[in-house]
Amino acid sequence: MRNAPLLLAALVAALSTTTASAQHMFKCTNDKGQTTYSDRACEQAPRPAPPAARPAVATAPAAKASAPAAAAPATSSNSAKAEPITKLTPAVVEAVLQRAVDLGDRKDYRGQCALAAPDLNFKLTDHSNSPPSVYSGGRGDICALQQQSAQAMQAGGLRSSTRLNKMDIRVSADGTQATAKYESAAAISMEGQHALTMQCTREEVLGLYSGTVLYKRVTAVCRPVG
């Protein structure tokens, strides 16, 4: 029988991408002209180099006249502007899922809870035990599970590293909702040594809430291997 810290580690791995990935995403353009997606506002484009220094003005009145112009704020017509996501696409959803992996592996349960949709509901079937354990409920329930699991994992000195596979993303015609089906594999280590891998089959529904991408529904079936 597996020990309790490892079972809790497996649970936090299963929960790691459940609500962590809800983010206000921005569509940006990198220095190569390629479109990218990020949870942070786009960086400003490099400002043009200042013009070469002009010779000193001979008369005092002319120098005073130039002062207001020098004090005026520079325009930023070349600055890149952040463009909030107003319509879901497979690329946006995939970026959100990848972001979730980072938050989950960092055991950021506060961030996960804060980014769950108010009407989220979930069902997690965990085959770490026999018979399997089933967890279900709403936003408050999953927040409590995430906190318990993350704290137990932290106390046990356990780490997780998660990867996503076999991703299938379908977006509604109006771009306000998306369904993602995929597999996740979280490798759990203890004191630098591999302990087990938690594999999950997932189906998740994401939606737009006032311009923010949040999880609406989550179903996951997970089992430890190795």
Side-chain angles (χ1 to χ4, degrees):
M1 182 176 178
R2 301 183 189 276
N3 61 43
L6 279 180
L7 292 181
L8 285 171
L11 177 58
V12 76
L15 293 171
S16 65
T17 57
T18 299
T19 59
S21 64
Q23 284 287 336
H24 185 91
M25 301 295 291
F26 295 93
K27 183 168 66 175
C28 310
T29 302
N30 62 20
D31 56 1
K32 297 181 180 179
Q34 300 171 327
T35 299
T36 61
Y37 294 92
S38 173
D39 62 309
R40 297 182 180 182
C42 306
E43 295 182 359
Q44 288 190 339
R47 294 189 176 185
R54 295 181 180 180
V57 180
T59 62
K64 290 183 179 179
S66 65
T75 59
S76 56
S77 57
N78 291 330
S79 298
K81 293 183 178 180
E83 184 179 345
I85 299 300
T86 57
K87 186 175 183 179
L88 294 177
T89 66
V92 169
V93 174
E94 184 173 354
V96 170
L97 296 177
Q98 292 295 337
R99 173 64 175 167
V101 170
D102 295 336
L103 292 176
D105 287 342
R106 293 204 307 265
K107 300 176 285 293
D108 185 0
Y109 65 87
R110 290 187 179 89
Q112 293 176 2
C113 179
L115 296 170
D119 58 346
L120 177 142
N121 64 81
F122 78 99
K123 180 179 180 181
L124 167 65
T125 304
D126 178 15
H127 287 272
S128 298
N129 297 303
S130 181
S133 301
V134 178
Y135 305 86
S136 62
R139 183 179 187 275
D141 300 301
I142 201 168
C143 288
L145 279 174
Q146 288 169 330
Q147 180 175 359
Q148 177 188 2
S149 302
Q151 289 178 341
M153 197 169 175
Q154 183 74 29
L158 303 172
R159 296 180 179 273
S160 66
S161 177
T162 308
R163 67 179 187 275
L164 308 181
N165 304 299
K166 299 181 180 179
M167 197 173 295
D168 180 18
I169 299 172
R170 306 292 175 91
V171 180
S172 63
D174 61 2
T176 62
Q177 184 168 296
T179 300
K181 297 181 180 180
Y182 63 99
E183 296 179 359
S184 65
I188 310 298
S189 61
M190 177 184 293
E191 298 181 351
Q193 299 296 318
H194 179 263
L196 62 87
T197 297
M198 178 64 102
Q199 294 183 344
C200 301
T201 301
R202 300 174 171 278
E203 180 173 345
E204 300 169 343
V205 177
L206 299 87
L208 284 176
Y209 290 74
S210 300
T212 301
V213 185
L214 299 176
Y215 275 96
K216 297 181 63 175
R217 185 171 69 252
V218 172
T219 304
V221 178
C222 305
R223 63 186 71 250
V225 297

